[in-house]
Amino acid sequence: MSDIVKRSEVSEESTPRKKQKIETQTDQNVLAHFQMKSVLRDSTREKTIFIHGEVEDQEAIVILEKTPIGHDSLPEMLKKSTLELKMKNDIYSTYQLIPPAHLSDMKTTVICPATQKHVKKYQVQETFLVEETEEDYRSITLPYIQSQSFSVQWVYNILEKKAEADRIICEDPDPKTGFVLLPDFKWDMKQVDDLYLIAIVRSRDIKSLRDLRSEHIPLLENILKKGQEAILQRFSVPACKLRIYLHYQPSYYHLHVHFTSLSHDAPGCGVERAHLLSDVILNLKGTPMYYQKRPLSFPLRADDNLAAKFREAGKLPNC
Ligand code: M7G
């Protein structure tokens, strides 16, 4: 794991001028200028907190996450930490362990400038399951995606090597079957237990699972095979320990595939949103227009504008 590097990550969803400003601030500790407004969500189980605030009059979101303990750091952690006894009873004792500073860092993600849509994405909300037919997609979802989905500028920056070029794990330049595989910004790359990478396809005209047809099978098989090989070679994680899937609905409408460690309960890996890539390939082999024709179910947050559109169309009658 010595070739795994640590780095701070910043959303690319900003204009070039603003981006420049944010990157400079990040280098000098952007959090020093962060004015907290509210906690959007707090997960004690995932040990993550999502905070909404402002950085110099720009809306911002900061995500702080305590990451798993790396096996490599255990000997040093056990030897060099300070232990404060909290309780002792018979053979049982609990302590507060204070590790050396370099072993107690926290993964931090900054989104700035953040949009209202980002704020909603991270807020706690009730969710509903929606069943979307082919007709619903055409009349409700597609117009919605075209009018108000998140910018995919960060994706184009990766494909054009304007951002994260040094993080690429493997790439295939073919315009039809090619892709770029790199660490997802949810992963700090410190240990493989929570491994998380994404493969971003080169083709710019496939928005999501819904657009996939049998002609895309070579692309999907290429991502599956080369992604698995690259992860084995670079991180020594075999294919049988990977969960490889697509989200429907995704947050970003440029086709990408998630590669996560099977032992990691990654956000969004539940059956209501994740579609295993191997199943997608089999479905397309059996029925070339499977994803165009079949109703697809997915969760929607109560305050999501897409949920409002489904409600208006009478598709969420009791919600
Ligand atoms: P998704 O299924 O569209 O949405 O996946 P989700 O965020 O609801 O899962 C997009 C994936 O891209 C997510 O896993 C994000 O963590 C990841 N991601 C988003 N951004 C803005 C970046 C980025 O700038 N760099 C990298 N490396 N990953 C990103």
Side-chain angles (χ1 to χ4, degrees):
M1 294 293 292
S2 56
D3 53 349
I4 292 184
V5 288
K6 224 179 15 165
R7 58 182 61 247
S8 67
E9 288 138 317
V10 175
S11 163
E12 300 303 327
E13 285 199 344
S14 39
T15 61
R17 199 179 57 78
K18 282 176 178 164
K19 194 183 96 188
Q20 181 62 41
K21 190 175 166 199
I22 297 308
E23 277 174 356
T24 314
Q25 286 170 343
T26 304
D27 292 338
Q28 302 162 349
N29 182 7
V30 66
L31 298 188
H33 305 273
F34 184 74
Q35 299 285 326
M36 180 172 146
K37 288 206 248 180
S38 64
V39 171
L40 296 171
R41 179 148 48 103
D42 178 5
S43 167
T44 47
R45 193 171 69 88
E46 288 158 20
K47 300 185 179 54
T48 307
I49 190 161
F50 301 80
I51 314 160
H52 179 206
E54 273 184 9
V55 176
E56 293 179 357
D57 298 332
Q58 292 188 323
E59 294 287 309
I61 290 172
V62 173
I63 306 168
L64 300 178
E65 182 184 352
K66 290 200 175 171
T67 49
I69 301 162
H71 293 196
D72 293 354
S73 61
L74 276 179
E76 192 184 355
M77 169 101 65
L78 296 172
K79 212 175 199 161
K80 302 217 173 133
S81 296
T82 310
L83 267 193
E84 281 175 14
L85 182 68
K86 291 286 163 198
M87 179 284 293
K88 188 161 176 52
N89 183 349
D90 189 34
I91 59 170
Y92 307 99
S93 40
T94 62
Y95 298 88
Q96 179 86 17
L97 182 146
I98 303 151
H102 67 281
L103 295 180
S104 55
D105 54 338
M106 229 186 276
K107 179 177 185 304
T108 304
T109 306
V110 179
I111 304 176
C112 182
T115 63
Q116 270 311 303
K117 205 169 151 67
H118 286 108
V119 175
K120 278 188 181 178
K121 177 174 157 87
Y122 294 113
Q123 233 158 12
V124 189
Q125 266 288 322
E126 210 181 338
T127 53
F128 307 111
L129 199 69
V130 177
E131 193 183 74
E132 178 201 69
T133 62
E134 180 188 8
E135 172 53 22
D136 294 335
Y137 178 72
R138 201 193 50 74
S139 63
I140 305 174
T141 312
L142 186 58
Y144 167 82
I145 295 169
Q146 286 163 341
S147 70
Q148 47 183 300
S149 52
F150 279 129
S151 159
V152 288
Q153 186 56 48
W154 66 274
V155 170
Y156 297 156
N157 289 346
I158 289 170
L159 294 175
E160 291 164 16
K161 308 244 169 101
K162 290 181 182 160
E164 305 188 52
D166 54 338
R167 289 159 44 86
I168 293 175
I169 302 298
C170 115
E171 61 182 316
D172 177 335
D174 189 283
K176 278 213 156 75
T177 58
F179 66 94
V180 172
L181 178 77
L182 80 168
D184 191 285
F185 78 171
K186 290 196 193 98
W187 187 34
D188 66 2
M189 300 181 75
K190 285 168 79 182
Q191 59 283 309
V192 291
D193 312 62
D194 58 345
L195 175 142
Y196 201 143
L197 294 108
I198 40 168
I200 299 174
V201 305
R202 290 218 179 267
S203 168
R204 297 192 179 195
D205 55 7
I206 316 171
K207 286 182 286 306
S208 74
L209 183 69
R210 261 287 180 216
D211 285 341
L212 290 176
R213 298 181 299 277
S214 54
E215 71 192 61
H216 298 119
I217 293 172
L219 164 68
L220 301 175
E221 287 183 332
N222 194 35
I223 293 175
L224 184 64
K225 183 167 174 287
K226 291 201 181 132
Q228 288 171 334
E229 284 168 3
I231 291 173
L232 177 63
Q233 200 187 7
R234 177 70 189 268
F235 303 110
S236 306
V237 177
C240 61
K241 295 208 168 159
L242 292 175
R243 185 191 295 111
I244 307 170
Y245 56 97
L246 295 94
H247 277 155
Y248 194 73
Q249 300 284 337
S251 295
Y252 303 95
Y253 289 88
H254 174 112
L255 194 79
H256 54 275
V257 176
H258 301 251
F259 288 71
T260 61
S261 163
L262 197 57
S263 58
H264 174 51
D265 202 3
C269 74
V271 290
E272 72 279 29
R273 194 162 175 231
H275 297 250
L276 280 182
L277 179 59
S278 51
D279 285 347
V280 172
I281 294 170
L282 282 177
N283 289 337
L284 290 173
K285 281 185 175 168
T287 312
M289 301 290 276
Y290 187 96
Y291 290 101
Q292 253 97 78
K293 300 285 170 202
R294 280 283 300 263
L296 294 175
S297 294
F298 52 84
L300 274 182
R301 299 157 50 91
D303 67 346
D304 194 309
N305 291 342
L306 184 56
K309 303 274 175 214
F310 271 86
R311 213 174 278 118
E312 278 165 30
K315 299 277 169 177
L316 277 173
N318 304 316
C319 302

